[in-house]
Amino acid sequence: MARKPPEDPSTSQFTEDWSKEFRSHCSDYVQLAFITSCLFIFVGGIIMILMVRVIRSLLHKWSLKYSIHFQLFTNKMNSLSVWKGKFQDRVVMMISAQTSIGRILVILVFLFSIGSLILYFINCYSVKEFCLTFEDQTIVIDLFFNVFFLLHFGLRFLAASDKLAFWLELNSIVDFFTITPVCIAFYLGKNWLGLRFLKALRLVELPKILQFLQVTTSGTAIKLSKLLAVFVSTWLTAAGFLHWMENSGDPWVYHSNHQNLTYFECLYLIMVTMSTVGYGDVVVQTTIGRVFILFFIVAGLILFANLVPEIADIVGSRRVYMGTYVYVKGRKFIVVCGNITLSSVTAFLSDFITQDKGDIACEIVFLGE
């Protein structure tokens, strides 16, 4: 009976170290498969759109030069364009916010995006590995969300008059780098946390959703919701990118400088960086992370210095100047409405007080938004 040859201790140690390293974070091949697939779809789509434009331009020139030979072809193209225009108009009406179906689609996309983002938070909190095994039950739910996103992306693409401009929109880029990895996850049997944080950019659509639901009706409330949406989406997205970089490590040093930072530690680090506090208890180790922080300090400082005081001013002014007027019988009052600003109020009061009207005992009520 043949005996099994003894294992080489060095080989066994290498296999154990490699397995441990692979479990701790994604290997180069796994990350490369996800990233290149997203870039291939994005760049390939741009090339295809440009090729179609060039072909259409050449066909148009040839039809003008050889009008007799291309007469039949031109008639077919014109009939096809008419059919395409009617179909495109129907799709536009279906997904536009002016129809009930379009509003439902927009609201569902936003809710599913928030749901997908919540799943990302859950996975970041519940697992220590940056690559998740595909047996995770949340993957099925996230897959359902992404199938819906893919269908909505197709409708938006059909409705877009300028395909290239649509391809370069923020929502389209988010779809490229979040939907495509789901297909790769099926093939590799692993799901990647890397770019799923981009779903946070969907929060920019929050003011529009609140207007659809008639939650925000005044101009002040709409402005406040826009400021909060920009601030929160920037915060979550920056933390997600830092979480990806720090857990992956720099590729040129074979990920030897990676560290196990949780997503919530990255949120804390980004907030401390934007507020210029800088406790130093959580720091970045990777070169990519340090370069990102270097540029984000400037952008975050501008964002923090502009948005936070403006948000505080809106909230404070609502508390001081907004309220209800209680009418008291026998008391005179004047209602002022229109464009209520500091300059308009100052001009009105100056004109009202300086005029010779005698002794006037009345209250002035400014009717604003």
Side-chain angles (χ1 to χ4, degrees), residues 142-153:
D142 198 23
L143 177 62
F144 170 76
F145 290 160
N146 282 275
V147 169
F148 183 82
F149 297 150
L150 183 60
L151 294 176
H152 186 255
F153 175 84

Side-chain angles (χ1 to χ4, degrees), residues 218-220 334-345 348 364-369:
S218 64
T220 304
I334 298 174
V335 177
V336 181
C337 59
N339 185 21
I340 306 298
T341 61
L342 179 61
S343 58
S344 63
V345 171
F348 170 78
I364 301 176
V365 180
F366 292 95
L367 186 62
E369 294 181 342

Side-chain angles (χ1 to χ4, degrees), residues 120-301:
Y120 171 74
F121 294 155
I122 294 174
N123 291 329
C124 288
Y125 178 77
S126 60
V127 298
K128 296 181 180 179
E129 300 175 2
F130 200 65
C131 273
L132 296 179
T133 56
F134 196 71
E135 286 76 15
D136 189 2
Q137 296 298 323
T138 60
I139 300 300
V140 179
I141 304 175
D142 198 23
L143 177 62
F144 170 76
F145 290 160
N146 282 275
V147 169
F148 183 82
F149 297 150
L150 183 60
L151 294 176
H152 186 255
F153 175 84
L155 291 176
R156 287 164 42 225
F157 180 78
L158 293 175
S161 56
D162 190 348
K163 307 298 183 184
L164 184 60
F166 166 79
W167 207 261
L168 299 176
E169 286 181 357
L170 178 62
N171 289 334
S172 300
I173 295 175
V174 171
D175 289 335
F176 295 141
F177 288 92
T178 54
I179 297 177
T180 307
V182 176
C183 303
I184 307 301
F186 270 108
Y187 179 76
L188 296 179
K190 277 187 172 294
N191 193 23
W192 186 43
L193 285 176
L195 296 174
R196 291 171 62 184
F197 63 87
L198 292 176
K199 291 293 183 183
L201 294 175
R202 295 279 191 185
L203 291 175
V204 180
E205 302 291 328
L206 179 61
K208 185 190 300 183
I209 305 300
L210 295 179
Q211 292 182 58
F212 291 159
L213 300 177
Q214 296 184 352
V215 177
T216 55
T217 55
S218 64
T220 304
I222 294 173
K223 183 179 180 181
L224 180 61
S225 63
K226 288 181 179 179
L227 293 175
L228 289 174
V230 171
F231 180 79
V232 174
S233 61
T234 304
W235 180 29
L236 297 179
T237 305
F241 180 80
L242 199 62
H243 179 246
W244 171 30
M245 289 294 100
E246 290 302 303
N247 283 273
S248 299
D250 294 323
W252 53 84
V253 293
Y254 304 101
H255 311 285
S256 60
N257 58 347
H258 77 95
Q259 60 173 330
N260 294 325
L261 278 184
T262 65
Y263 180 79
F264 303 99
E265 288 175 334
C266 294
L267 284 175
Y268 167 76
L269 177 59
I270 291 296
M271 181 58 68
V272 169
T273 302
M274 283 195 299
S275 60
T276 67
V277 177
Y279 291 113
D281 51 345
V282 180
V283 295
V284 294
Q285 293 184 1
T286 62
T287 304
I288 299 178
R290 290 174 180 174
V291 172
F292 172 74
I293 288 294
L294 180 65
F295 287 98
F296 185 78
I297 286 176
V298 180
L301 182 60

